Amino acid sequence: MAVPKTLTLPAIPIRDMVLFPGARVPFVVGRSASVRTLELAIKAGDHLLMLTQKDAKVEAPGQDDLYPIGTLALVESVLALPKDYYKVGVKGIARVSLRRYDDSGEIIQAEAYLLAEPTQPPTESLQPFHQAVEAFLGRNSDASRLLSMDQIRELPLGKAIDTVAGLLPAEVKQKQEILDQLEIGPRLEAMMRLLELDAARSEVDRTLDEKTRQRLDQDHKQYVLNEKMRVIQQELGKKEEKDEFARLKDQIEAAGMSAEARAKALEELERLEAMPPQSAEATVSRTYLDWLLALPWTTMADERLDLMEAERVLDEDHSGLDKIKARILEHLAVMARLRKNPSVPGEDENRAPLRGPILCLVGPPGVGKTSLARSIARALNRPFVRLSLGGVRDEAEIRGHRRTYIGSMPGRIISLMKKAKVRNPLILLDEIDKMASDFRGDPSSALLEVLDPEQNANFQDHYLDVGFDLSQVLFLATANIRHQIPEPLEDRLEVLELSGYTTKEKLAIAEQHLLPRALEGHGMKDLGVHFEPAALEKLVQDYTREAGVRQLEREIANILRKLARHTLQPEKGEAFDPVITAERVPKLLGPEKFLETRAEDTAPPGLVNGLAWTPTGGDLLTIEAAVLPGKGVLKLTGKLGEVMQESANLALSYVRARAERLGLRRDFLDSVDLHVHVPEGAIPKDGPSAGITLATALISVLTGIPARADLAMTGELTLRGRVLPIGGLKEKLLAAHRQGRKAVLIPSENARHLEEIPAEVREQLSIHLVSHMDEVIQLALTRMPQPLGAESAGPGRETPATAQ
């Protein structure tokens, strides 16, 4: 029948395909609108318009979502499928140009122009096109079964291009470019580009396939030759040289492994021989054998247990720390005695296990814990290896992973033994208080076996799966905060407390250790750089606030960097001057970072100096109390912890219980509120040792009697007024000394700890031992409160003064 040039027919949008005139294509219809449109097309004469979507993901495409050039198609077959789907077979008839697309009703209709096929022949030769198509059919068996070169030559050129384009594997956009070409010349050019692209893609695929096949053939050839060589050598009964497995067996026999490890290694070697060399299991077995052979089963370092030499090394590397050095030397002395007199009769003196305690150095950052461990290793002539435990939360970090896991490895303990290359290194377990635990296990529990002298002679690593002797290892541990060490682990340690340094000790450390090391590290040993004592003292007091010397070392390095630039670019700043005075320090480093709170001549009522312990050393804790009109509410500010809040409430209860003896009426709280504040409110504060300080602040503000400005105090208070002992005494007294206080009050029961305090601090501080709050009041306030009835009550006792 004659088809008009302007058509209004049912239309179906299609996805992921392009229908060319003359091509027969099956496709599935499932969208409800498309199904109803198909039914209308069948009733109206089996013709419909096929329009390709630009984006296949669009579920309800409009006219802008469709390519403007589509195809008039004839429905040749319809097959119903489950779930209201249809499989439709259509044949392309001619190109159409979309004019209007209407999907507003139940069916989809479109108005389009019928495009006539051009008849003029191309000016260029058709031989390149025929050669490209023949090559395409030669490499595509599916297309060659549907089309032959004879059919291509018989078809008009336009139809031939459309036929090949329908069979060519290409993207929808590339095929649509051919459908869009109405002229024969541009259509042929687009077709040739697609054929060239397909040829290039096929060449890449062929090259990859060839290389893969060659690689597989080579691996197979190598395997076959190896097997044949082994058979030939077995038949001949001799070998010119030992093969790899024989060498491995000899290494296993000579490694000095334990009987268990030797049996395991030989068993693994036998399994390795039976595996193909290229298999993944062979790689796992070979790696396991390499680990076993790399461990120091018998190699020992030549240990030096000379106490005189050890003492010299410790003194050379560290100033002060006399008590710690003495304890370390005692530990080394016991080791020396064990070597000479083994605890087990007949035991080799060089292999006697170290059953003594494991030392744990606890102290603030920068006081020399890690460097002490290095000095001990140097004194003993043992290799030093360090295991950082900060943030470790996986048990496998200690014990390793089982070999059933992909990428499994031994734990860090075994890795460190391999690194040390001897059975008796010094292993430092650094930051032991910063381990964590989660669903992967508890690494601190895994360390129990490592640190127990009764168990570590047969340490079981999950990867090795055989016992390894750690009894010759000297373990040392470090931590910043003792109470954060897990209790079962702490039970296996002997804790040595390292407190902060005094100013005098810091100056000595800077002159003897920090300066020489910094000058060498900055390449300035030959420039005659000299720090005057006053300059170092200014660095310590105004630019650092720490228990150790780490920040002091940074500030020295900061000055040296500026001097180094002065030597090379004097025109950019001041000329190089090797002498550092106290006056030059602010010019080099800028304004002072810390201004110490010096003691004032007088203090207002309610202001009392307490002492606090922090992980970085001691600090002065100023407590302020104020009286406000109110109804007896105690307000606490300064980010105080639960224990410190309880101490404040306890202090108020103590004051209320002794109100009349303190010159206060029993109902003094009926008309006032009390506000207690601890400055630096962003820093959390907790603990019971501020009990007497809080009570003194409340008594001072309620009675109007100032506390001594040059005095600081620490101690826990009970309801009966007893003063209980506290911890961190040395750090707190060092803080009082550093901040210029002249006197301190400490609990009487802490008298036994005074011998730990440096002599210069004891000499410059007036230390008062107190056991009851009455003694604190007598020593801390500028005068004693008068009990009610002793004399006429003043306004400060009848009604507490309101804070101004």
Side-chain angles (χ1 to χ4, degrees):
M1 69 174 184
V3 180
K5 293 186 178 181
T6 300
L7 305 174
T8 300
L9 290 172
I12 293 181
I14 53 178
R15 296 184 280 197
D16 297 327
M17 61 174 289
V18 176
L19 177 64
F20 286 91
R24 286 183 167 86
V25 175
F27 65 96
V28 175
V29 175
R31 289 185 284 204
S32 58
S34 298
V35 171
R36 290 192 296 271
T37 303
L38 176 65
E39 294 172 351
L40 177 65
I42 295 173
K43 293 178 182 179
D46 295 339
H47 284 86
L48 51 77
L49 300 178
M50 306 288 288
L51 304 167
T52 301
Q53 292 183 204
K54 296 177 181 178
D55 185 355
K57 297 179 181 178
V58 178
E59 288 296 328
Q63 184 166 347
D64 293 338
D65 300 316
L66 303 172
Y67 287 107
I69 302 297
T71 307
L72 173 66
L74 175 67
V75 179
E76 294 185 330
S77 62
V78 179
L79 178 62
L81 298 176
K83 298 183 179 180
D84 297 330
Y85 280 82
Y86 291 89
K87 183 176 181 180
V88 184
V90 297
K91 177 184 178 181
I93 296 176
R95 285 175 170 79
V96 295
S97 176
L98 180 64
R99 179 181 179 185
R100 185 175 59 84
Y101 180 83
D102 183 11
D103 59 349
S104 58
E106 292 187 358
I107 62 172
I108 305 172
Q109 286 192 326
E111 182 180 335
Y113 294 110
L114 184 68
L115 302 174
E117 189 70 17
T119 57
Q120 68 275 18
T123 56
E124 60 270 15
S125 172
L126 297 183
Q127 185 176 0
F129 171 68
H130 290 156
Q131 290 176 346
V133 172
E134 186 174 8
F136 164 68
L137 296 177
R139 62 179 177 266
N140 194 313
S141 58
D142 293 337
S144 63
R145 285 196 297 267
L146 301 174
L147 188 67
S148 66
M149 281 303 302
D150 293 338
Q151 293 173 309
I152 292 295
R153 292 188 177 94
E154 292 175 358
L155 291 172
L157 181 58
K159 290 186 176 181
I161 294 174
D162 289 346
T163 302
V164 175
L167 299 176
L168 193 66
E171 297 180 1
V172 171
K173 186 176 180 181
Q174 295 172 328
K175 287 190 173 185
Q176 184 68 34
E177 289 179 359
I178 294 179
L179 187 67
D180 291 343
Q181 301 301 329
L182 305 181
E183 300 296 330
I184 294 296
R187 190 185 305 177
L188 179 62
E189 292 178 3
M191 186 72 245
M192 290 300 293
R193 286 196 299 270
L194 275 188
L195 288 171
E196 291 173 0
L197 183 63
D198 182 75
R201 186 187 301 114
S202 298
E203 179 63 22
V204 172
D205 292 341
R206 188 193 64 78
T207 302
L208 292 176
D209 292 342
E210 180 66 20
K211 289 184 177 180
T212 303
R213 186 186 62 78
Q214 291 178 357
R215 179 67 179 269
L216 293 175
D217 290 347
Q218 183 66 26
D219 291 345
H220 180 69
K221 177 182 177 182
Q222 186 70 28
Y223 174 73
V224 171
L225 290 176
N226 287 336
E227 290 299 312
K228 286 184 177 180
M229 182 65 70
R230 290 174 58 190
V231 172
I232 292 172
Q233 290 175 342
Q234 290 174 359
E235 291 296 325
L236 291 174
K238 62 179 181 178
K239 299 180 182 179
E240 292 297 326
E241 61 181 32
K242 295 181 180 180
D243 61 12
E244 180 183 8
F245 298 113
R247 288 196 300 272
L248 284 174
K249 185 174 182 180
D250 290 344
Q251 291 176 8
I252 292 172
E253 297 289 351
M257 301 180 186
S258 63
E260 179 190 18
R262 178 178 174 277
K264 186 78 172 178
L266 292 176
E267 177 186 350
E268 198 68 29
L269 180 62
E270 186 177 344
R271 291 181 64 244
L272 180 62
E273 289 187 73
M275 295 178 192
Q278 294 79 19
S279 68
E281 290 186 5
T283 303
V284 173
S285 293
R286 179 56 192 265
T287 304
Y288 176 73
L289 288 175
D290 289 342
W291 270 103
L292 286 178
L293 292 172
L295 291 176
W297 296 93
T298 57
T299 308
M300 299 278 285
D302 294 331
E303 189 176 43
R304 180 177 61 234
L305 289 174
D306 185 345
L307 293 189
M308 296 296 294
E309 175 64 15
E311 186 173 8
R312 184 193 67 78
V313 170
L314 292 175
D315 290 337
E316 179 181 314
D317 292 348
H318 296 86
S319 298
L321 303 176
D322 295 334
K323 185 177 179 180
I324 302 299
K325 292 177 184 176
R327 180 60 188 86
I328 292 172
L329 292 174
E330 292 168 6
H331 190 68
L332 300 184
V334 172
M335 291 171 56
R337 296 301 304 171
L338 281 174
R339 290 290 184 258
K340 293 182 179 179
N341 301 287
S343 56
V344 179
E347 194 171 40
D348 184 353
E349 65 178 24
N350 292 322
R351 297 176 183 269
L354 303 174
R355 294 189 173 90
I358 294 166
L359 301 183
C360 179
L361 307 175
V362 176
V367 296
K369 301 184 295 295
T370 303
S371 60
L372 260 176
R374 291 183 184 276
S375 297
I376 295 171
R378 187 162 74 92
L380 293 174
N381 194 35
R382 288 190 180 209
F384 174 82
V385 285
R386 175 176 170 268
L387 171 57
S388 179
L389 295 171
V392 172
R393 56 180 65 243
D394 189 353
E395 178 189 355
E397 294 278 349
I398 307 299
R399 290 187 179 274
H401 300 81
R402 300 190 185 277
R403 284 192 292 148
T404 52
Y405 294 103
I406 296 175
S408 59
M409 292 290 288
R412 293 199 192 182
I413 298 294
I414 294 299
S415 299
L416 290 178
M417 295 302 296
K418 175 186 176 183
K419 180 180 179 180
K421 300 180 181 179
V422 293
R423 282 184 56 201
N424 60 339
L426 186 149
I427 295 182
L428 175 65
L429 305 175
D430 211 4
E431 309 290 357
I432 203 170
D433 58 329
K434 294 181 176 58
M435 285 186 295
S437 60
D438 60 8
F439 64 93
R440 289 168 288 189
D442 184 1
S444 65
S445 300
L447 276 179
L448 297 179
E449 181 185 1
V450 175
L451 299 180
D452 193 338
E454 302 298 329
Q455 301 180 50
N456 63 11
N458 192 33
F459 172 66
Q460 293 284 334
D461 185 274
H462 288 159
Y463 180 84
L464 296 184
D465 201 24
V466 295
F468 189 82
D469 186 7
L470 298 177
S471 62
Q472 298 300 317
V473 178
L474 177 58
F475 288 101
L476 289 178
T478 69
N480 291 134
I481 304 174
R482 179 171 182 171
H483 67 261
Q484 291 184 359
I485 303 174
E487 289 186 8
L489 193 57
E490 185 182 1
D491 186 56
R492 286 165 169 78
L493 305 172
E494 179 177 339
V495 176
L496 300 182
E497 300 274 358
L498 280 75
S499 47
Y501 297 112
T502 65
T503 301
K504 183 178 179 181
E505 289 173 334
K506 289 182 180 181
L507 295 176
I509 292 171
E511 291 177 355
Q512 298 174 21
H513 303 285
L514 303 184
L515 272 174
R517 188 165 62 214
L519 289 171
E520 183 175 357
H522 290 76
M524 303 176 70
K525 289 182 64 176
D526 57 342
L527 296 180
V529 176
H530 172 68
F531 281 72
E532 292 187 351
L536 288 175
E537 187 172 355
K538 187 170 185 63
L539 285 178
V540 170
Q541 294 180 348
D542 297 341
Y543 289 86
T544 65
R545 180 173 288 178
E546 57 179 344
V549 292
R550 191 168 290 161
Q551 184 62 32
L552 177 59
E553 186 173 14
R554 294 192 189 102
E555 297 298 343
I556 291 174
N558 196 0
I559 290 177
L560 293 183
R561 286 195 299 271
K562 296 182 184 302
L563 294 183
R565 187 182 180 189
H566 292 170
T567 62
L568 301 176
Q569 291 184 315
E571 70 280 359
K572 296 291 184 179
E574 61 181 278
F576 172 69
D577 184 356
V579 179
I580 308 300
T581 62
E583 291 74 20
R584 288 189 65 196
V585 170
K587 298 178 182 178
L588 294 169
L589 298 181
E592 292 83 351
K593 295 181 179 179
F594 302 101
L595 295 177
E596 298 291 0
T597 306
R598 295 297 176 184
E600 301 176 3
D601 296 334
T602 59
L607 184 66
V608 181
N609 299 315
L611 295 171
W613 177 92
T614 69
T616 58
D619 199 3
L620 195 70
L621 191 69
T622 303
I623 294 179
E624 300 174 346
V627 179
L628 308 166
K631 298 180 181 180
V633 176
L634 175 62
K635 184 177 181 180
L636 304 173
T637 56
K639 204 168 185 180
L640 308 184
E642 183 178 349
V643 175
M644 199 165 179
Q645 293 181 33
E646 291 176 354
S647 295
N649 283 285
L650 187 148
L652 179 58
S653 296
Y654 173 80
V655 174
R656 292 177 63 190
R658 302 173 65 84
E660 293 183 353
R661 296 183 59 181
L662 295 172
L664 302 172
R665 296 185 310 187
R666 285 188 175 274
D667 59 350
F668 71 89
L669 272 183
D670 291 348
S671 59
V672 297
D673 287 345
L674 294 174
H675 186 172
V676 176
H677 176 66
V678 183
E680 298 186 52
I683 301 174
K685 311 166 189 72
D686 203 2
S689 63
I692 65 172
T693 314
L694 290 164
T696 304
L698 290 175
I699 294 171
S700 173
V701 73
L702 287 168
T703 61
I705 302 175
R708 289 177 56 185
D710 62 347
L711 179 139
M713 63 184 72
T714 179
E716 181 178 355
L717 179 65
T718 70
L719 277 175
R720 293 180 297 160
R722 290 188 56 209
V723 181
L724 301 183
I726 46 84
L729 181 66
K730 182 178 180 181
E731 288 81 1
K732 293 177 179 179
L733 293 186
L734 288 176
H737 176 261
R738 183 174 66 247
Q739 305 250 12
R741 296 308 180 265
K742 298 179 181 179
V744 291
L745 305 183
I746 66 172
S748 299
E749 295 183 35
N750 282 110
R752 62 187 186 278
H753 298 130
L754 288 176
E755 63 180 19
E756 302 174 3
I757 310 302
E760 64 171 305
V761 176
R762 294 201 305 266
E763 292 171 1
Q764 297 180 23
L765 279 180
S766 177
I767 302 174
H768 300 278
L769 302 175
V770 292
S771 57
H772 196 274
M773 190 62 200
D774 290 342
E775 303 172 42
V776 176
I777 297 172
Q778 185 175 0
L779 292 168
L781 300 183
T782 54
R783 59 184 174 85
M784 283 294 292
Q786 293 296 321
L788 285 182
E791 60 181 29
S792 58
R797 292 188 292 276
E798 284 292 335
T799 302
T802 301
Q804 298 300 316

